[in-house]
Amino acid sequence: MMRTRPLKVALLGCGVVGSEVARIMTTHADDLAQRIGAPVELAGVAVRRPGKVREGIDPALVTSDATALVKRGDIDVVVEVIGGIEPARTLITTAFEHGASVVSANKALLAQDGAALHAVAEENNKDLYYEAAVAGAIPLIRPLRESLAGDKVNRVLGIVNGTTNFILDKMDSTGAGYQEALDEATALGYAEADPTADVEGFDAAAKAAILAGIAFHTRVRLDDVYREGMTEVTSADFRSAKEMGCTIKLLAICERSKDGASVTARVHPAMIPLSHPLASVRGAYNAVFVESDAAGQLMFYGPGAGGSPTASAVLGDLVAVCRNRLNGATGPGESAYAALPVSPMGEVVTRYHISLDVADKPGVLAQVATVFAEHGVSIDTVRQQGKDGEASLVVVTHRASDASLTGTVEALRKLDTVRGVASIMRVEGE
């Protein structure tokens, strides 16, 4: 039997995502009511500019006083899509304290203060759901914390930022340089006027922190994630990648150590074999590859950003939270019982592709090989080309730690025969 009294929803933010949430709540009201077991009512919308006309939203619902809205006491669920740290953090905490559960898309806040927010939610017996915080419409957080709850996840490897994937895909498919590809992404609306959060990896790092925390039942904060942007990736790097049968992606990588005693979380550009499923992810799409003991290899793929895709994830959470509300229950909260240490980047082991500018004369290769050997880095392949006294030397290593590779490169720079290190790229996905 359906309850006739509606569940009341407060919406914080009415931009690209928020306006889509409001639209879907209105146009799909009957379906949502049937799926939840009660009607849902948009009870208030908090915005910075209340005087702006918002199609499909009753002006009487609009307010600039978000604090008063979340304190009303009759609100069942607060949907937060304003982003940033403050005032979102205070508003979410206030919502819990005044009886509301929360659905959020705020990756930055969750990566920084997720543990504290979960604690306040638990203290007040309320839900905190955030499927939309990572990879837009792609169902990912719920599978990790519910569908795979009985399994052991060992690795999460993914493309979690559509802007950077669009840029790198253009560089790969057309031979364009970084700036040219970025300009196209900006013109098409994939990149913000200030793309720093995307191209320097901040956005992906926040998502990596959230994914690692859920996958490994360990608190992982944004500060724990190694971050390296993609602004230094060149057309020459793509040519080198193609020679190896690879392409280049900005990857978020969260993995458990082989002995299971620690975890790592990192974001950086990497060469990935064309045979790997992530290599075929084109344009502004996202994809995440999950490896676990029992389920094996799983891949989640779809649009990772945009108003409608993100709103889809928000509404999915809203339905789940409203169902819990009706049943007097709460869904999964934070699971951090494993409390595994997060290892520094220096301990991460992977393969490397190093391109050196060297003098074109006898003995150079032997000198370079000696340096690698002295630092315990095993060489897989070497390729040398040169003329007119100058040469390029491309070295691909076997798996080595980041710390040992860093020491190797520092020693190489001291050789008189090495003119410079043109590029260093990690090789993943093998």
PDB file of all heavy atoms in Angstrom, residues 240-258:
ATOM      1  N   SER A 240      55.531   7.366 -29.224  1.00  0.00           N
ATOM      2  CA  SER A 240      56.247   6.307 -28.511  1.00  0.00           C
ATOM      3  C   SER A 240      55.277   5.230 -28.030  1.00  0.00           C
ATOM      4  O   SER A 240      55.569   4.030 -28.086  1.00  0.00           O
ATOM      5  CB  SER A 240      57.007   6.887 -27.312  1.00  0.00           C
ATOM      6  OG  SER A 240      58.041   7.747 -27.727  1.00  0.00           O
ATOM      7  N   ALA A 241      54.117   5.670 -27.566  1.00  0.00           N
ATOM      8  CA  ALA A 241      53.123   4.710 -27.083  1.00  0.00           C
ATOM      9  C   ALA A 241      52.670   3.792 -28.216  1.00  0.00           C
ATOM     10  O   ALA A 241      52.547   2.574 -28.036  1.00  0.00           O
ATOM     11  CB  ALA A 241      51.930   5.448 -26.484  1.00  0.00           C
ATOM     12  N   LYS A 242      52.442   4.377 -29.391  1.00  0.00           N
ATOM     13  CA  LYS A 242      51.989   3.569 -30.523  1.00  0.00           C
ATOM     14  C   LYS A 242      53.042   2.549 -30.935  1.00  0.00           C
ATOM     15  O   LYS A 242      52.712   1.425 -31.336  1.00  0.00           O
ATOM     16  CB  LYS A 242      51.624   4.479 -31.692  1.00  0.00           C
ATOM     17  CG  LYS A 242      50.329   5.245 -31.470  1.00  0.00           C
ATOM     18  CD  LYS A 242      49.972   6.146 -32.639  1.00  0.00           C
ATOM     19  CE  LYS A 242      48.652   6.872 -32.366  1.00  0.00           C
ATOM     20  NZ  LYS A 242      48.275   7.774 -33.487  1.00  0.00           N
ATOM     21  N   GLU A 243      54.300   2.931 -30.829  1.00  0.00           N
ATOM     22  CA  GLU A 243      55.369   1.989 -31.157  1.00  0.00           C
ATOM     23  C   GLU A 243      55.375   0.791 -30.211  1.00  0.00           C
ATOM     24  O   GLU A 243      55.857  -0.282 -30.561  1.00  0.00           O
ATOM     25  CB  GLU A 243      56.722   2.706 -31.123  1.00  0.00           C
ATOM     26  CG  GLU A 243      56.906   3.705 -32.255  1.00  0.00           C
ATOM     27  CD  GLU A 243      58.161   4.543 -32.117  1.00  0.00           C
ATOM     28  OE1 GLU A 243      58.857   4.403 -31.077  1.00  0.00           O
ATOM     29  OE2 GLU A 243      58.443   5.346 -33.026  1.00  0.00           O
ATOM     30  N   MET A 244      54.831   0.988 -29.003  1.00  0.00           N
ATOM     31  CA  MET A 244      54.746  -0.095 -28.021  1.00  0.00           C
ATOM     32  C   MET A 244      53.397  -0.808 -28.055  1.00  0.00           C
ATOM     33  O   MET A 244      53.128  -1.708 -27.249  1.00  0.00           O
ATOM     34  CB  MET A 244      54.955   0.451 -26.607  1.00  0.00           C
ATOM     35  CG  MET A 244      56.354   0.905 -26.291  1.00  0.00           C
ATOM     36  SD  MET A 244      56.433   1.464 -24.570  1.00  0.00           S
ATOM     37  CE  MET A 244      55.918   0.007 -23.662  1.00  0.00           C
ATOM     38  N   GLY A 245      52.524  -0.400 -28.977  1.00  0.00           N
ATOM     39  CA  GLY A 245      51.186  -0.976 -29.001  1.00  0.00           C
ATOM     40  C   GLY A 245      50.316  -0.472 -27.875  1.00  0.00           C
ATOM     41  O   GLY A 245      49.463  -1.200 -27.353  1.00  0.00           O
ATOM     42  N   CYS A 246      50.519   0.792 -27.496  1.00  0.00           N
ATOM     43  CA  CYS A 246      49.801   1.386 -26.362  1.00  0.00           C
ATOM     44  C   CYS A 246      49.136   2.698 -26.754  1.00  0.00           C
ATOM     45  O   CYS A 246      49.375   3.240 -27.835  1.00  0.00           O
ATOM     46  CB  CYS A 246      50.767   1.669 -25.204  1.00  0.00           C
ATOM     47  SG  CYS A 246      51.516   0.228 -24.429  1.00  0.00           S
ATOM     48  N   THR A 247      48.308   3.205 -25.870  1.00  0.00           N
ATOM     49  CA  THR A 247      47.836   4.578 -25.921  1.00  0.00           C
ATOM     50  C   THR A 247      48.081   5.185 -24.543  1.00  0.00           C
ATOM     51  O   THR A 247      48.620   4.525 -23.654  1.00  0.00           O
ATOM     52  CB  THR A 247      46.352   4.670 -26.313  1.00  0.00           C
ATOM     53  OG1 THR A 247      46.009   6.054 -26.518  1.00  0.00           O
ATOM     54  CG2 THR A 247      45.453   4.061 -25.253  1.00  0.00           C
ATOM     55  N   ILE A 248      47.703   6.451 -24.354  1.00  0.00           N
ATOM     56  CA  ILE A 248      47.943   7.133 -23.075  1.00  0.00           C
ATOM     57  C   ILE A 248      46.622   7.594 -22.492  1.00  0.00           C
ATOM     58  O   ILE A 248      45.796   8.200 -23.189  1.00  0.00           O
ATOM     59  CB  ILE A 248      48.889   8.340 -23.259  1.00  0.00           C
ATOM     60  CG1 ILE A 248      50.249   7.871 -23.777  1.00  0.00           C
ATOM     61  CG2 ILE A 248      49.056   9.104 -21.944  1.00  0.00           C
ATOM     62  CD1 ILE A 248      51.184   9.002 -24.165  1.00  0.00           C
ATOM     63  N   LYS A 249      46.397   7.299 -21.225  1.00  0.00           N
ATOM     64  CA  LYS A 249      45.196   7.713 -20.503  1.00  0.00           C
ATOM     65  C   LYS A 249      45.609   8.320 -19.159  1.00  0.00           C
ATOM     66  O   LYS A 249      46.640   7.946 -18.596  1.00  0.00           O
ATOM     67  CB  LYS A 249      44.273   6.525 -20.238  1.00  0.00           C
ATOM     68  CG  LYS A 249      43.760   5.814 -21.486  1.00  0.00           C
ATOM     69  CD  LYS A 249      42.806   6.676 -22.280  1.00  0.00           C
ATOM     70  CE  LYS A 249      42.188   5.907 -23.434  1.00  0.00           C
ATOM     71  NZ  LYS A 249      41.258   6.772 -24.226  1.00  0.00           N
ATOM     72  N   LEU A 250      44.794   9.245 -18.655  1.00  0.00           N
ATOM     73  CA  LEU A 250      44.969   9.708 -17.275  1.00  0.00           C
ATOM     74  C   LEU A 250      44.186   8.743 -16.402  1.00  0.00           C
ATOM     75  O   LEU A 250      42.959   8.666 -16.479  1.00  0.00           O
ATOM     76  CB  LEU A 250      44.452  11.133 -17.088  1.00  0.00           C
ATOM     77  CG  LEU A 250      44.704  11.705 -15.689  1.00  0.00           C
ATOM     78  CD1 LEU A 250      46.173  12.079 -15.526  1.00  0.00           C
ATOM     79  CD2 LEU A 250      43.819  12.911 -15.409  1.00  0.00           C
ATOM     80  N   LEU A 251      44.897   7.982 -15.579  1.00  0.00           N
ATOM     81  CA  LEU A 251      44.281   6.904 -14.821  1.00  0.00           C
ATOM     82  C   LEU A 251      44.219   7.199 -13.326  1.00  0.00           C
ATOM     83  O   LEU A 251      45.138   7.784 -12.765  1.00  0.00           O
ATOM     84  CB  LEU A 251      45.066   5.602 -15.022  1.00  0.00           C
ATOM     85  CG  LEU A 251      45.144   5.056 -16.450  1.00  0.00           C
ATOM     86  CD1 LEU A 251      46.004   3.806 -16.480  1.00  0.00           C
ATOM     87  CD2 LEU A 251      43.748   4.764 -16.999  1.00  0.00           C
ATOM     88  N   ALA A 252      43.130   6.775 -12.721  1.00  0.00           N
ATOM     89  CA  ALA A 252      43.040   6.693 -11.270  1.00  0.00           C
ATOM     90  C   ALA A 252      43.267   5.230 -10.919  1.00  0.00           C
ATOM     91  O   ALA A 252      42.566   4.351 -11.427  1.00  0.00           O
ATOM     92  CB  ALA A 252      41.667   7.152 -10.791  1.00  0.00           C
ATOM     93  N   ILE A 253      44.260   4.969 -10.082  1.00  0.00           N
ATOM     94  CA  ILE A 253      44.642   3.588  -9.762  1.00  0.00           C
ATOM     95  C   ILE A 253      44.641   3.411  -8.249  1.00  0.00           C
ATOM     96  O   ILE A 253      45.375   4.090  -7.530  1.00  0.00           O
ATOM     97  CB  ILE A 253      46.035   3.255 -10.334  1.00  0.00           C
ATOM     98  CG1 ILE A 253      46.075   3.524 -11.833  1.00  0.00           C
ATOM     99  CG2 ILE A 253      46.399   1.805 -10.036  1.00  0.00           C
ATOM    100  CD1 ILE A 253      47.466   3.469 -12.437  1.00  0.00           C
ATOM    101  N   CYS A 254      43.808   2.504  -7.784  1.00  0.00           N
ATOM    102  CA  CYS A 254      43.743   2.173  -6.361  1.00  0.00           C
ATOM    103  C   CYS A 254      44.016   0.680  -6.254  1.00  0.00           C
ATOM    104  O   CYS A 254      43.322  -0.114  -6.885  1.00  0.00           O
ATOM    105  CB  CYS A 254      42.360   2.476  -5.792  1.00  0.00           C
ATOM    106  SG  CYS A 254      41.711   4.105  -6.246  1.00  0.00           S
ATOM    107  N   GLU A 255      45.025   0.292  -5.478  1.00  0.00           N
ATOM    108  CA  GLU A 255      45.329  -1.132  -5.411  1.00  0.00           C
ATOM    109  C   GLU A 255      45.824  -1.555  -4.042  1.00  0.00           C
ATOM    110  O   GLU A 255      46.413  -0.776  -3.299  1.00  0.00           O
ATOM    111  CB  GLU A 255      46.319  -1.532  -6.506  1.00  0.00           C
ATOM    112  CG  GLU A 255      47.605  -0.767  -6.555  1.00  0.00           C
ATOM    113  CD  GLU A 255      48.399  -1.057  -7.818  1.00  0.00           C
ATOM    114  OE1 GLU A 255      48.025  -1.948  -8.598  1.00  0.00           O
ATOM    115  OE2 GLU A 255      49.404  -0.363  -8.035  1.00  0.00           O
ATOM    116  N   ARG A 256      45.547  -2.814  -3.778  1.00  0.00           N
ATOM    117  CA  ARG A 256      45.993  -3.452  -2.557  1.00  0.00           C
ATOM    118  C   ARG A 256      47.375  -4.052  -2.815  1.00  0.00           C
ATOM    119  O   ARG A 256      47.633  -4.594  -3.904  1.00  0.00           O
ATOM    120  CB  ARG A 256      45.002  -4.554  -2.172  1.00  0.00           C
ATOM    121  CG  ARG A 256      45.161  -5.149  -0.804  1.00  0.00           C
ATOM    122  CD  ARG A 256      44.240  -6.353  -0.666  1.00  0.00           C
ATOM    123  NE  ARG A 256      42.836  -6.004  -0.852  1.00  0.00           N
ATOM    124  CZ  ARG A 256      41.996  -5.687   0.121  1.00  0.00           C
ATOM    125  NH1 ARG A 256      42.440  -5.653   1.371  1.00  0.00           N
ATOM    126  NH2 ARG A 256      40.725  -5.407  -0.126  1.00  0.00           N
ATOM    127  N   SER A 257      48.297  -3.951  -1.852  1.00  0.00           N
ATOM    128  CA  SER A 257      49.618  -4.549  -2.034  1.00  0.00           C
ATOM    129  C   SER A 257      49.484  -6.068  -2.129  1.00  0.00           C
ATOM    130  O   SER A 257      48.490  -6.653  -1.704  1.00  0.00           O
ATOM    131  CB  SER A 257      50.541  -4.183  -0.868  1.00  0.00           C
ATOM    132  OG  SER A 257      50.026  -4.694   0.349  1.00  0.00           O
ATOM    133  N   LYS A 258      50.499  -6.725  -2.697  1.00  0.00           N
ATOM    134  CA  LYS A 258      50.430  -8.172  -2.890  1.00  0.00           C
ATOM    135  C   LYS A 258      50.293  -8.932  -1.585  1.00  0.00           C
ATOM    136  O   LYS A 258      49.645  -9.979  -1.521  1.00  0.00           O
ATOM    137  CB  LYS A 258      51.663  -8.651  -3.661  1.00  0.00           C
ATOM    138  CG  LYS A 258      51.625  -8.261  -5.135  1.00  0.00           C
ATOM    139  CD  LYS A 258      52.704  -8.969  -5.929  1.00  0.00           C
ATOM    140  CE  LYS A 258      52.571  -8.649  -7.415  1.00  0.00           C
ATOM    141  NZ  LYS A 258      53.571  -9.346  -8.232  1.00  0.00           N
TER     142      LYS A 258
END
